[in-house]
Amino acid sequence: QEDVFKKIVSHCKEYGFVFPSSEIYDGLAAVYDYGQNGVELKNNIKEYWWKSMVLLHSNIVGIDASIFMHPTVWKASGHVDAFNDPLIDNRDSKKRYRADNLIEDQIGKYEEKIEKEVAKAKKRFGDSFDEAKFRETNPRVLENLEKRNNLHARYTEAMQGPDLEALKQIILDEEIVDPISGTKNWTDVRQFNLMFSTEVGSLSDQANKIYLRPETAQGIFVNYLNVQKTGRMKLPFGIAQIGKAFRNEIVARQFVFRMREFEQMEMQFFCQPGTEMKWFEYWKKHRLAWHEALGLGAENYRFHDHEKLAHYANAATDIEFKMPFGFKEVEGIHSRTNFDLSQHEKFSGRQIKYFDPEKNESYTPYDVETSIGVDRMFLSILCHSYTEEQLENGETRIVLKLPEALAPVKCAVFPLDKKDGLPELAQKIVDDLKFHFNTHYGDPKDSIGKRYRRQDAVGTPFCVTVDHDTPNDHKVTLRYRDTMKQERVDIDDLRSLMEDRVSI
Ligand code: ATP
């Protein structure tokens, strides 16, 4: 699985999806640039989200707030005081880790041991194997389960607060070693704030310090009154936005999964106090359905309900996707109560309320948030789509089986030959189609087989070939990416054959 992931990362670079940032200067850790195909895929993901969340919901509107905000915003939201990760260093390797990640990996190790025992027994006993009974009675499974549960309970308690000494004690008691040096030479655990800061104006003074937003949500909360009043919005209603967020992540792992600069698609849904759990359930269902509609397979998603809730939340869950490195969070759904609006009311001194004409009273609305990372979504789609196929002639075909509507290029048109007016004919087809969906012209210098492979590698669902019969019969060969099936169709039918399948 790790190997597959490495191949996906190099495929992304080779085919213009993702490049390391500032690569000619050897890159910048945890920062990436999207290339010519990557940006199209990313734009399509954003359009798919925006359409479903904003355009199809009459009670949700969008905004585009600034990255820079008044510094008091981050005081009010709790980020200045509490947006921290617990860090620990290893004195030998001089590497820095998140203490919580080290412990979570250790919990994962006990879980792996249990699954290994089960898999071994399954192999040994075959069809007659009673898995549930085995899990309840096997001494090695029970021993590891107890260790796992004890550790999990200690960890959950230590993370409340968090209690930094307790976290360190767990790392010592569990004899967790540095994955690089293999040693146990740990420093104390300390808190590290994840926000990037800079200065406005010419004075480098504490008073001029501002932050790069670590989430897009606050831009929505501070505009709640503006939107509610100017849009005459009635509860329940939502405000959505897509934009960049910045976090000084210490352990930057797994390519675009965890970056220091990334993009979020967030929607805050304001509702009457007391109805928030109903909406929380509604958005859980709706968001999962959105993911599943892409066709990546319902079995690749799961909910992970949070046991430990952030101070502002009364319910929270993640939608996780099965990446090559395990099930990982792509989206968070949080019932944030009236925390954010109340805090901004307190810190700004302005009344931030909703006047309910039916109840004839004013109150602070409750809020349910859906927050998804564009880059994580991008990665989950790429990982799922990357396929290596063994062909009958012994060759291997690498094809990105992207959802057709999200593919960067929808159609590539090739003239079979440089002569006989075929390039002009092909160009004319491109010129007609490109107004409806992204259509490229493929130069005839490579063999047709090579041209097909290149389009397979970027996930183009349709290829059209103009050959020597085309000037006479007005027909072309339409080739389908996934099946490689080819059929002869009239040029005038091309658009209708493709349009429904590729539109978002
Ligand atoms: P994690 O636990 O993985 O750090 P989180 O719970 O802090 O994520 P949220 O604050 O809920 O994440 O942010 C909402 C979404 O933003 C996440 O589900 C994820 O898709 C995306 N996201 C968060 N941090 C990053 C990052 N460093 N790089 C890319 N995407 C991110």
Side-chain angles (χ1 to χ4, degrees), residues 114 117-138 141:
I114 295 170
E117 288 295 338
V118 174
K120 237 169 46 192
K122 239 185 212 165
K123 219 169 163 190
R124 192 168 343 129
F125 299 120
D127 283 347
S128 62
F129 180 59
D130 181 346
E131 184 178 325
K133 190 152 175 233
F134 181 81
R135 283 181 188 272
E136 278 164 24
T137 54
N138 179 277
V141 168

Side-chain angles (χ1 to χ4, degrees), residues 189-203:
V189 178
R190 66 195 185 292
Q191 290 286 41
F192 175 82
N193 193 290
L194 295 176
M195 282 196 294
F196 283 102
S197 63
T198 186
E199 290 118 28
V200 273
S202 56
L203 283 179

Side-chain angles (χ1 to χ4, degrees), residues 136-323:
E136 278 164 24
T137 54
N138 179 277
R140 278 182 303 276
V141 168
L142 291 177
E143 186 193 327
N144 280 307
L145 186 65
E146 194 183 339
K147 283 187 182 161
R148 185 243 168 239
N149 289 347
N150 286 343
L151 175 56
H152 188 265
R154 265 184 91 185
Y155 168 61
T156 310
E157 199 185 321
M159 285 301 283
Q160 307 285 345
D163 182 339
L164 303 182
E165 274 178 33
L167 285 173
K168 177 166 182 189
Q169 201 52 49
I170 294 176
I171 289 171
L172 297 182
D173 292 348
E174 288 286 326
E175 304 192 330
I176 293 176
V177 295
D178 174 358
I180 291 178
S181 66
T183 62
K184 294 180 271 188
N185 238 331
W186 296 113
T187 61
D188 285 343
V189 178
R190 66 195 185 292
Q191 290 286 41
F192 175 82
N193 193 290
L194 295 176
M195 282 196 294
F196 283 102
S197 63
T198 186
E199 290 118 28
V200 273
S202 56
L203 283 179
S204 152
D205 181 309
Q206 201 52 21
N208 295 323
K209 183 170 167 181
I210 58 166
Y211 297 98
L212 275 70
R213 67 181 178 198
E215 61 175 26
T216 57
Q218 298 303 324
I220 294 179
F221 297 128
V222 299
N223 276 299
Y224 160 82
L225 278 183
N226 283 337
V227 174
Q228 194 269 323
K229 294 216 159 108
T230 57
R232 303 201 171 121
M233 307 300 289
K234 292 209 165 49
L235 285 189
F237 74 90
I239 306 178
Q241 96 163 307
I242 299 177
K244 289 259 171 131
F246 303 81
R247 295 183 189 177
N248 198 358
E249 301 275 6
I250 285 309
V251 188
R253 292 193 284 196
Q254 285 129 359
F255 196 36
V256 298
F257 181 81
R258 190 176 297 286
M259 292 195 287
R260 298 206 164 107
E261 173 178 344
F262 58 98
E263 218 168 344
Q264 292 185 312
M265 306 189 280
E266 295 197 311
M267 191 277 300
Q268 309 297 328
F269 195 74
F270 300 102
C271 59
Q272 265 186 30
T275 63
E276 72 275 12
M277 289 319 290
K278 181 181 93 182
W279 289 113
F280 178 71
E281 291 306 324
Y282 171 88
W283 284 111
K284 264 179 83 166
K285 251 199 215 140
H286 192 278
R287 293 302 306 148
L288 185 64
W290 181 88
H291 286 275
E292 288 180 357
L294 278 178
L296 309 188
E299 71 284 2
N300 292 318
Y301 297 94
R302 69 178 190 198
F303 283 118
H304 172 231
D305 294 331
H306 291 206
E307 294 155 35
K308 182 185 142 264
L309 294 172
H311 56 284
Y312 53 75
N314 65 2
T317 195
D318 295 335
I319 296 179
E320 295 184 334
F321 182 80
K322 196 173 178 193
M323 304 274 190

Side-chain angles (χ1 to χ4, degrees), residues 57-165:
H57 282 92
S58 54
N59 60 346
I60 299 181
V61 293
I63 61 163
D64 183 17
S66 301
I67 287 169
F68 293 143
M69 301 181 75
H70 192 285
T72 310
V73 167
W74 307 109
K75 263 280 182 215
S77 67
H79 284 79
V80 171
D81 296 320
F83 196 52
N84 299 318
D85 275 346
L87 291 195
I88 190 165
D89 291 271
N90 183 280
R91 290 197 184 89
D92 292 313
S93 69
K94 309 256 184 308
K95 284 275 171 202
R96 189 161 284 177
Y97 297 93
R98 275 175 60 174
D100 52 340
N101 286 160
L102 287 175
I103 300 170
E104 280 165 15
D105 287 350
Q106 181 74 1
I107 294 172
K109 280 190 185 146
Y110 289 126
E111 289 167 355
E112 263 171 42
K113 280 187 188 163
I114 295 170
E115 294 317 312
K116 264 197 189 141
E117 288 295 338
V118 174
K120 237 169 46 192
K122 239 185 212 165
K123 219 169 163 190
R124 192 168 343 129
F125 299 120
D127 283 347
S128 62
F129 180 59
D130 181 346
E131 184 178 325
K133 190 152 175 233
F134 181 81
R135 283 181 188 272
E136 278 164 24
T137 54
N138 179 277
R140 278 182 303 276
V141 168
L142 291 177
E143 186 193 327
N144 280 307
L145 186 65
E146 194 183 339
K147 283 187 182 161
R148 185 243 168 239
N149 289 347
N150 286 343
L151 175 56
H152 188 265
R154 265 184 91 185
Y155 168 61
T156 310
E157 199 185 321
M159 285 301 283
Q160 307 285 345
D163 182 339
L164 303 182
E165 274 178 33

